[in-house]
Amino acid sequence: MEDCIFCKIVRNEIPSKKVYEDPDAVAFLDINPANPGHCLVVSKRHYESITDVDDADLKKMIAIVKVMAKRIKTSLNADGINVLQNNGRHAGQIVNHIHFHVIPRFPNDNVIITYQKVNVPNLDEIQKKLSSTGASSGYEWGTRI
Ligand code: AMP
Ligand code: ZN
C-alpha cells in the first residue's frame, strides 16, 4: 500500500534495522522498544489486521515469531518473551499493517502488560455468540494451510 509505513520498510523506501527477511515476511527492530531486542514481525503483503490477513501469510508470520523468539532467548539471554498483536485503534494498534510484537523480558524490567478484570454476568450468552458456526466461521478444521 502506497502510504503505509511498514510497506515502505518492506520496499526499503525508509530505513529500518532488519533482523530477518524472506519472500513473505520481514522482522525489524521496533523504533521505540519496550526492551532491547523488541522486534516486529511483518507480512510483506499489506493486511490491516487479524481479521483480514490471509491464512497462509498468518501462518508464515507466526512461524517467524517463533524464529525470533528463539533468537531472542539464545542471543540476548532473555528470561521470557511476550508476543503481542494489536487490532484496531482501541486495542492500541497504531500502524494499520498487521504485525506481531516480540518482546524480550528480563528479571525486574520495567515492561508492564496488564488488564483489569471485569465481572461478566452473562457468560452463557457470550459463549453462545462466540460458538456460532456456519458460513461466517471461515475455517474448516483439518485444512492444512
Ligand atoms: P502497534 O501499536 O501495535 O500498532 O505498534 C506499532 C509499533 O510500530 C510501535 O511499537 C512503534 O514503535 C513501531 N514503529 C512505528 N514506526 C516504526 C518504524 N519506522 N520503524 C520501526 N518501528 C516502528
Ligand atoms: Zn502496509
Side-chain angles (χ1 to χ4, degrees), residues 2-144:
E2 199 60 37
D3 285 337
C4 170
I5 192 161
F6 285 179
C7 283
K8 286 181 179 173
I9 287 176
V10 167
R11 296 193 298 261
N12 293 315
E13 289 171 11
I14 59 171
S16 68
K17 299 225 177 290
K18 288 186 180 163
V19 289
Y20 177 92
E21 183 158 19
D22 70 27
D24 304 308
V26 63
F28 50 86
L29 298 182
D30 194 302
I31 207 168
N32 197 7
N35 256 338
H38 176 175
C39 60
L40 303 172
V41 174
V42 171
S43 166
K44 283 196 171 176
R45 281 169 282 279
H46 181 96
Y47 305 100
E48 197 161 311
S49 73
I50 193 79
T51 50
D52 71 334
V53 64
D54 172 82
D55 281 355
D57 281 320
L58 181 61
K59 186 180 176 186
K60 186 67 183 274
M61 289 174 77
I62 202 70
I64 307 313
V65 166
K66 181 179 174 183
V67 168
M68 291 315 307
K70 286 167 85 172
R71 287 189 193 173
I72 282 168
K73 255 199 136 160
T74 53
S75 303
L76 299 181
N77 213 16
D79 184 62
I81 294 158
N82 287 114
V83 175
L84 301 179
Q85 201 272 311
N86 302 322
N87 301 280
R89 187 159 57 94
H90 295 292
Q93 185 176 15
I94 294 166
V95 177
N96 292 326
H97 179 133
I98 190 168
H99 55 280
F100 283 86
H101 295 254
V102 190
I103 304 176
R105 298 300 305 271
F106 303 96
N108 306 314
D109 65 19
N110 288 318
V111 179
I112 301 167
I113 296 167
T114 189
Y115 53 87
Q116 281 184 302
K117 311 280 190 282
V118 292
N119 183 34
V120 181
N122 56 338
L123 279 181
D124 289 344
E125 190 187 325
I126 304 288
Q127 181 190 20
K128 208 168 152 194
K129 282 186 177 170
L130 290 182
S131 303
S132 65
T133 53
S136 61
S137 67
Y139 187 79
E140 276 181 50
W141 287 107
T143 307
R144 290 191 65 84

